[in-house]
Amino acid sequence: MSRRVMSLPDVWADRLGIDTAEGVGDELAARFEHLSQFVLGGEMPPPGEASAEAATAYGDLWVLAGFLADVHRVIYGREATR
Protein backbone atom coordinates (compact mmCIF):
# COMPACT_ATOMS: atom_id res chain seq x y z
CA MET A 1 0.00 0.00 0.00
CA SER A 2 1.50 3.33 -0.98
CA ARG A 3 0.93 6.33 1.20
CA ARG A 4 0.67 9.76 -0.29
CA VAL A 5 1.91 12.85 1.50
CA MET A 6 -0.80 15.37 2.34
CA SER A 7 -0.72 18.74 4.05
CA LEU A 8 -1.73 18.80 7.70
CA PRO A 9 -4.91 20.81 7.02
CA ASP A 10 -5.90 18.39 4.23
CA VAL A 11 -5.39 15.38 6.50
CA TRP A 12 -7.48 16.93 9.24
CA ALA A 13 -10.24 18.07 6.89
CA ASP A 14 -10.52 14.43 5.88
CA ARG A 15 -10.45 13.17 9.49
CA LEU A 16 -13.01 15.70 10.65
CA GLY A 17 -15.26 15.11 7.66
CA ILE A 18 -15.32 18.71 6.51
CA ASP A 19 -15.25 19.83 2.90
CA THR A 20 -12.22 22.09 2.80
CA ALA A 21 -8.95 22.49 4.64
CA GLU A 22 -9.83 26.14 5.30
CA GLY A 23 -12.45 25.03 7.84
CA VAL A 24 -10.06 22.97 9.97
CA GLY A 25 -9.01 25.85 12.20
CA ASP A 26 -12.60 26.85 12.92
CA GLU A 27 -13.60 23.26 13.68
CA LEU A 28 -10.69 22.71 16.06
CA ALA A 29 -11.34 26.06 17.76
CA ALA A 30 -14.99 25.12 18.30
CA ARG A 31 -13.99 21.78 19.81
CA PHE A 32 -11.47 23.47 22.10
CA GLU A 33 -14.05 26.05 23.17
CA HIS A 34 -16.59 23.32 23.97
CA LEU A 35 -14.04 21.29 25.91
CA SER A 36 -12.77 24.28 27.89
CA GLN A 37 -16.28 25.47 28.76
CA PHE A 38 -17.19 21.96 29.90
CA VAL A 39 -14.10 21.55 32.07
CA LEU A 40 -13.79 25.09 33.39
CA GLY A 41 -17.53 25.75 33.68
CA GLY A 42 -18.04 23.19 36.43
CA GLU A 43 -20.33 21.00 34.32
CA MET A 44 -18.32 17.85 34.81
CA PRO A 45 -20.30 14.98 36.33
CA PRO A 46 -19.03 13.34 39.50
CA PRO A 47 -16.57 10.45 39.05
CA GLY A 48 -18.34 7.29 38.00
CA GLU A 49 -21.26 9.07 36.36
CA ALA A 50 -21.39 9.29 32.58
CA SER A 51 -23.21 11.84 30.45
CA ALA A 52 -23.56 12.57 26.77
CA GLU A 53 -21.90 15.94 27.37
CA ALA A 54 -18.93 14.27 29.05
CA ALA A 55 -18.63 11.80 26.18
CA THR A 56 -18.61 14.67 23.68
CA ALA A 57 -15.96 16.51 25.70
CA TYR A 58 -13.84 13.36 25.80
CA GLY A 59 -14.16 13.06 22.02
CA ASP A 60 -13.09 16.69 21.64
CA LEU A 61 -10.07 16.01 23.84
CA TRP A 62 -9.17 12.96 21.74
CA VAL A 63 -9.40 14.97 18.49
CA LEU A 64 -7.32 17.85 19.85
CA ALA A 65 -4.66 15.49 21.23
CA GLY A 66 -4.43 13.77 17.84
CA PHE A 67 -4.06 17.10 16.06
CA LEU A 68 -1.30 18.20 18.43
CA ALA A 69 0.52 14.89 17.92
CA ASP A 70 0.41 15.45 14.16
CA VAL A 71 1.64 19.03 14.55
CA HIS A 72 4.54 17.70 16.62
CA ARG A 73 5.42 15.25 13.85
CA VAL A 74 5.31 18.02 11.22
CA ILE A 75 7.47 20.34 13.31
CA TYR A 76 10.08 17.62 13.60
CA GLY A 77 10.06 16.94 9.86
CA ARG A 78 7.74 13.98 9.50
CA GLU A 79 4.94 14.64 7.03
CA ALA A 80 1.33 13.75 7.65
CA THR A 81 0.25 10.78 5.57
CA ARG A 82 -3.02 9.13 4.75
Side-chain angles (χ1 to χ4, degrees), residues 33-45:
E33 182 178 344
H34 175 260
L35 177 63
S36 62
Q37 286 178 357
F38 180 74
V39 171
L40 299 174
E43 300 175 24
M44 293 182 68

Side-chain angles (χ1 to χ4, degrees), residues 6 8 14 37 44 47 51-52 60 68 70 73:
M6 298 173 65
L8 187 64
D14 187 45
Q37 286 178 357
M44 293 182 68
S51 73
D60 291 342
L68 292 175
D70 281 355
R73 284 191 277 283

Side-chain angles (χ1 to χ4, degrees), residues 3 5 7 13 16 21 23 31 33 41 43-44 49 63 66 68-69:
R3 299 177 73 138
V5 175
S7 73
L16 295 170
R31 287 175 183 256
E33 182 178 344
E43 300 175 24
M44 293 182 68
E49 288 187 28
V63 166
L68 292 175

